Amino acid sequence: MKKWLVVSISLLLMFAAVGCSKSESVNSDGKKTITMWVHISDDNEEGKVYKKRVEAFNKKYSSDNIKAKIEFIPRSGNGGGYEDKVNAALTTSTLPDVITLDGPNTAAYAKSGVIAPLDEYVKDQEDLLPSIKQQGTYKDKLYAIGVSESSVGIYYNKRMLQEAGVDLNTLPTVDNPWTWDQFLTLCKTLKEKYDKPAIDMQLQSKDEMLTYALTPFVWSADGDIISKDGKKAEGVFNKKPTVEAMTFIQTMLKEGYTTRTPVKQAFETEKYSMKFSGVWTVTDMKTNYPKVDYGVMPYPVSPKTKKLVSPSGSWQFAMTQTSENKEWAAKLVDWMTNKDSNVELSRTIAALPVRYSSEKVMVKEFSVQMNVFLKQLKETGHARPVTPAYPQVTRAFQQTIDDISFYDKNKDIQKVLDTHAKEMQSAIDKAN
């Protein structure tokens, strides 16, 4: 989840030109080959799990004249590499049978005919968490299945909070979250104690992290980014609930409780008391900062609704429309996201389960911090908007956050929202 797929307009245009590929081939031992591309390297822990699971797939189906072949195509820091190869394959009609894609881009890939529905082949969908089905569904058809789930929460340094006079037993839980006002009070206490920002909210990010992590504040206020049918942004994004959410974020900046220019690894090196980050930071803390005693608390909520909402979604597996053996391609997608694959990945990296069956296993094995994320996800997870215009919608949201962070120049939040809602609407109208 640290890196994100943002589909460019040029890529979307190329989708329309997808033709028939020769994705099915026969290898030297006479077996049909099902090809799969993934966006990570074979030497990282997630990649090693994928390789192991493909080997297990081939062993299980060795008598079926089928062999899966995985190709690792790591993404570069700016999202290139993997996307570049997908772009090239679209223009030359050489897509593999199975690809990975980031969750919110499901609609763009599905609408353009790059990926095919899985419903005919995947029958155990009731085992999938609702957030996973929501993320992978377009026009009531399941097109992709997440390999893992994710979430975001507030990491806090136990020692620093205690030294500031905070009773850790009074901190919020998923069952009893704090309101924005209560969280502001905590931030005030910590800023006064340490004369530094209380939390790094990662507002310096100019990527999908902003949309992923901050939309829950809008949802908590009973707002939304676009309408449920995916057709409207104007009159949705620029309504009062979004103003309230953006006002909270802007207040955090105005009061100096957070900053657009945080010290790098400030939480990890115990300079800041808290950090707003995803589940992946659990692995970083365990590997690189094992001496830091920390906890995780859920999102603060709108004082009007008291409704806790958290983000969900990550990368997915999908079969391509051009696969010449969809039954086996879909079987490979199902295999890579089944209970055994999911449990193995969760045990290897900080990844949340995508299935109820794997959740039952991991809840007994996860750390206290991971179980906070798991409970928050299961009870309050919300997928990002599913729309073919998502690349433009998310860019407009990210620009909104950047604009309101310059609060001296953009005091009128409503005006900022009106501007970017119009941008979103234009993109939606063109995509539909």
Side-chain angles (χ1 to χ4, degrees):
M1 294 291 297
K2 281 186 179 179
K3 298 179 180 178
W4 308 80
L5 172 62
V6 177
V7 183
S8 64
I9 296 177
S10 60
L11 176 57
L12 289 171
L13 290 174
M14 281 189 279
F15 283 169
V18 176
C20 297
S21 74
K22 300 298 180 181
S23 59
E24 180 183 346
S25 60
V26 178
N27 60 25
S28 59
D29 58 6
K31 291 188 175 184
K32 293 179 181 179
T33 300
I34 303 299
T35 56
M36 177 170 68
W37 291 356
V38 298
H39 61 284
I40 55 177
S41 66
D42 59 355
D43 60 356
N44 95 0
E45 295 305 312
E46 185 175 351
K48 291 176 183 177
V49 172
Y50 291 168
K51 183 177 180 181
K52 187 176 180 180
R53 292 303 296 161
V54 167
E55 290 171 351
F57 178 89
N58 288 333
K59 183 177 180 179
K60 179 175 177 63
Y61 296 108
S62 60
S63 62
D64 290 278
N65 204 37
I66 288 288
K67 185 175 183 179
K69 179 181 178 182
I70 185 171
E71 184 172 350
F72 297 89
I73 310 167
R75 302 180 71 238
S76 61
N78 62 1
Y82 181 77
E83 286 84 352
D84 294 339
K85 182 145 187 175
V86 171
N87 285 1
L90 285 166
T91 60
T92 58
S93 299
T94 54
L95 282 170
D97 297 277
V98 176
I99 60 172
T100 56
L101 67 150
D102 198 10
N105 294 310
T106 300
Y109 277 79
K111 183 176 186 295
S112 302
V114 177
I115 56 178
L118 296 165
D119 300 278
E120 180 182 347
Y121 310 98
V122 177
K123 304 302 182 183
D124 62 343
Q125 294 183 31
E126 67 278 357
D127 191 35
L128 294 171
L129 295 180
S131 58
I132 285 295
K133 289 193 284 188
Q134 182 185 1
Q135 172 186 253
T137 298
Y138 177 65
K139 290 191 174 180
D140 298 323
K141 293 182 180 180
L142 184 70
Y143 280 87
I145 303 176
V147 65
S148 65
E149 257 294 12
S150 185
S151 192
V152 172
I154 299 169
Y155 290 74
Y156 63 90
N157 185 299
K158 293 182 179 180
R159 176 189 62 79
M160 294 181 73
L161 263 65
Q162 286 176 318
E163 290 180 358
V166 178
D167 182 352
L168 301 186
N169 293 319
T170 66
L171 292 178
T173 64
V174 174
D175 292 327
N176 293 290
W178 275 0
T179 66
W180 299 341
D181 295 334
Q182 289 173 297
F183 187 69
L184 289 169
T185 298
L186 173 64
C187 290
K188 183 176 186 292
T189 297
L190 295 172
K191 181 176 183 292
E192 289 177 350
K193 170 66 177 178
Y194 297 107
D195 194 28
K196 293 177 181 177
I199 184 170
D200 175 7
M201 290 184 69
Q202 301 200 50
L203 298 179
Q204 77 282 6
S205 301
K206 295 184 181 296
D207 56 21
E208 186 66 14
M209 178 62 184
L210 290 177
T211 308
Y212 185 70
L214 300 181
T215 45
F217 292 116
V218 178
W219 293 325
S220 180
D222 266 349
D224 216 329
I225 310 304
I226 62 175
S227 59
K228 302 300 181 186
D229 63 7
K231 296 181 179 180
K232 292 292 181 182
E234 286 189 294
V236 178
F237 181 59
N238 53 337
K239 290 181 69 175
K240 187 176 180 180
T242 313
V243 174
E244 294 170 354
M246 296 299 166
T247 299
F248 166 68
I249 296 169
Q250 195 176 77
T251 299
M252 289 288 295
L253 282 158
K254 282 182 178 180
E255 298 297 333
Y257 301 155
T258 192
T259 174
R260 294 183 69 255
T261 55
V263 174
K264 291 183 179 180
Q265 278 73 53
F267 173 77
E268 293 83 346
T269 56
E270 301 189 273
K271 294 181 177 68
Y272 295 176
S273 308
M274 298 185 292
K275 181 175 183 175
F276 196 47
S277 192
V279 65
W280 53 85
T281 296
V282 170
T283 298
D284 188 32
M285 297 301 293
K286 180 179 180 180
T287 303
N288 300 312
Y289 308 95
K291 294 183 179 180
V292 177
D293 189 12
Y294 74 95
V296 174
M297 67 177 84
Y299 273 74
V301 300
S302 164
K304 289 186 177 180
T305 69
K306 308 289 178 65
K307 182 172 68 175
L308 176 59
V309 188
S310 61
S312 68
S314 188
W315 283 70
Q316 311 171 109
F317 282 102
M319 75 172 171
T320 59
Q321 187 66 256
T322 53
S323 172
E324 296 179 0
N325 198 328
K326 287 187 171 60
E327 181 179 355
W328 281 101
K331 192 182 291 289
L332 181 57
V333 170
D334 197 27
W335 177 271
M336 296 301 291
T337 59
N338 68 14
K339 175 186 174 182
D340 291 340
S341 295
N342 198 204
V343 166
E344 186 150 359
L345 187 63
S346 293
R347 285 172 173 165
T348 304
I349 64 173
L352 296 174
V354 301
R355 294 180 176 273
Y356 288 109
S357 56
S358 48
E359 179 218 346
K360 290 179 181 178
V361 175
M362 294 314 302
V363 72
K364 300 175 183 178
E365 300 183 20
F366 275 153
S367 65
V368 173
Q369 295 92 336
M370 285 293 291
N371 271 317
V372 172
F373 282 118
L374 179 57
K375 182 177 176 64
Q376 179 181 251
L377 169 71
K378 183 181 176 182
E379 297 182 10
T380 73
H382 192 304
R384 284 160 285 174
V386 178
T387 170
Y390 187 80
Q392 293 79 28
V393 169
T394 188
R395 279 199 293 271
F397 184 92
Q398 292 161 29
Q399 189 58 54
T400 299
I401 299 298
D402 193 53
D403 286 349
I404 68 161
S405 68
F406 292 98
Y407 48 86
D408 289 335
K409 296 180 180 178
N410 293 296
K411 296 178 182 179
D412 189 344
I413 291 177
Q414 184 65 62
K415 182 178 179 181
V416 173
L417 295 178
D418 289 343
T419 297
H420 294 300
K422 186 175 182 180
E423 293 173 2
M424 292 180 185
Q425 190 64 57
S426 177
I428 291 170
D429 290 344
K430 291 177 182 178
N432 290 321

